[in-house]
Amino acid sequence: MNSKNRQSRKIKPRDINNEVAEEDSVKDAAELSSKLIYEVIRRDGAEELSRPLVSLLWSGVAAGMIMGLSVIGEAIFRTHMPDTPARFLVENLGYSLGFLVVILGRMQLFTENTITTVLPLMAEPTLAMFTRVVRLWAVVLAANVVGAFVAGIFFMHTSAIPPELLPAMLELSKHALDLSAEDAFMRAIPAGILIAAIVWMLPQAKFSAFFVILIFTWLIAAGEFSHIIAGSVEMAILVVTGNLDFQGAVIGFFLPVLAGNIVGGTAIFTMMAWGQVRHEV
């Protein structure tokens, strides 16, 4: 009898496998806590800060050029869809095209760096780290803008774009930059928050990353918020066609939107993200 009881109390291999599977499931569910999301982004930022400047430069120029796809995508919808109230919501899906290629392609986009490179600075708040962050920001921003102007010149002064799309591209660009400096600054804050939120969500998005980027960048366009790099393509289109002078572009659009994106991405979202994990890391 005692022997039978002992045998009945033995742990079966099937029970062990179930426990292991259950433990793995728990780990999978817990592995993307805020603390670990922070660590993924911090390491990514640290890796970016250690890259050669020439690599950042070329990646930034490519990203600026590719962001031109956002203007093309919107223009295609606007040109070929009937003029109905629903067109506005649909055409803004085209705005996501540039972001999808740049973010999934791991190119250097300035507004992503308002969170990825700031988290390493929060973890190591030294003058040397601050200098590295400022240097990366300056290189990537300049490269993005150069790429945006290359795209603008290519679109408007070559035969690469079908003529029927050009009026829509000009119309979209004028509408995007038809803001006062104050309004441009305020509209840029939500855009900065949304881009930082995308970066924060991507580590746990995995196979849904495409839809995360699509939905939240569509929201930037549909909400008529201002993004410094996508807007720089529209700014470049107006400058190279003589519809906007350089001084007005810099003072009326570029600097206010840049400041707003930094406030939204760094001063608001990144600081909140850091605040929730600072005592755990």
Side-chain angles (χ1 to χ4, degrees):
M1 184 73 177
N2 291 336
S3 175
K4 290 182 179 180
N5 288 337
R6 285 195 299 271
Q7 289 178 359
S8 65
R9 288 196 297 269
K10 287 182 180 179
I11 300 175
K12 298 179 181 180
R14 183 175 60 185
D15 295 332
I16 295 175
N17 291 337
N18 289 338
E19 289 180 7
V20 170
E22 183 178 349
E23 183 66 21
D24 289 342
S25 297
V26 171
K27 288 181 179 179
D28 288 341
E31 68 180 357
L32 294 177
S33 64
S34 296
K35 180 174 65 175
L36 292 177
I37 291 174
Y38 156 82
E39 183 60 20
V40 169
I41 299 173
R42 187 199 66 78
R43 292 186 183 186
D44 186 53
E47 180 181 346
E48 296 297 333
L49 288 168
S50 65
R51 293 182 66 187
L53 289 183
V54 66
S55 299
L56 297 174
L57 179 65
W58 283 111
S59 181
V61 171
M65 295 173 63
I66 293 298
M67 286 304 297
L69 292 177
S70 292
V71 181
I72 294 175
E74 285 188 287
I76 290 173
F77 280 116
R78 175 163 293 195
T79 300
H80 297 291
M81 287 189 65
D83 188 7
T84 64
R87 188 185 71 177
F88 174 76
L89 297 177
V90 176
E91 74 181 18
N92 284 310
L93 288 172
Y95 186 81
S96 300
L97 295 179
F99 289 96
L100 284 165
V101 176
V102 169
I103 297 175
L104 293 179
R106 304 284 292 176
M107 299 176 189
Q108 288 292 326
L109 187 64
F110 174 77
T111 44
E112 285 188 276
N113 287 321
T114 59
I115 179 172
T116 54
T117 58
V118 173
L119 289 181
L121 177 62
M122 296 294 99
E124 186 185 338
T126 63
L127 179 60
M129 180 62 76
F130 177 77
T131 302
R132 291 171 64 189
V133 171
V134 171
R135 182 181 63 174
L136 182 143
W137 277 22
V139 170
V140 171
L141 178 61
N144 285 167
V145 174
V146 169
F149 268 84
V150 170
I153 294 170
F154 181 71
F155 293 161
M156 309 311 293
H157 292 298
T158 72
S159 58
I161 303 300
E164 62 268 22
L165 296 183
L166 297 180
M169 294 174 70
L170 282 170
E171 184 182 356
L172 288 164
S173 299
K174 289 177 181 178
H175 178 74
L177 272 70
D178 188 23
L179 295 170
S180 67
E182 180 183 357
D183 288 342
F185 171 76
M186 297 305 298
R187 295 277 186 93
I189 293 175
I193 293 173
L194 288 169
I195 293 296
I198 291 172
V199 175
W200 188 261
M201 289 185 289
L202 284 181
Q204 62 182 351
K206 297 182 180 178
F207 298 111
S208 62
F210 175 92
F211 296 101
V212 169
I213 299 168
L214 178 72
I215 292 170
F216 283 89
T217 54
W218 170 85
L219 183 58
I220 293 174
E224 297 192 336
F225 304 131
S226 299
H227 184 270
I228 187 62
I229 307 307
S232 289
V233 177
E234 295 163 326
M235 178 182 72
I237 288 173
L238 296 182
V239 169
V240 302
T241 56
N243 288 281
L244 181 66
D245 64 274
F246 187 77
Q247 182 178 354
V250 173
I251 297 176
F253 172 80
F254 188 82
L255 293 180
V257 172
L258 174 63
N261 283 172
I262 292 174
V263 168
T266 296
I268 296 179
F269 189 93
T270 303
M271 293 304 175
M272 289 193 301
W274 169 247
Q276 69 174 323
V277 301
R278 61 175 301 191
H279 298 294
E280 302 178 59
V281 298

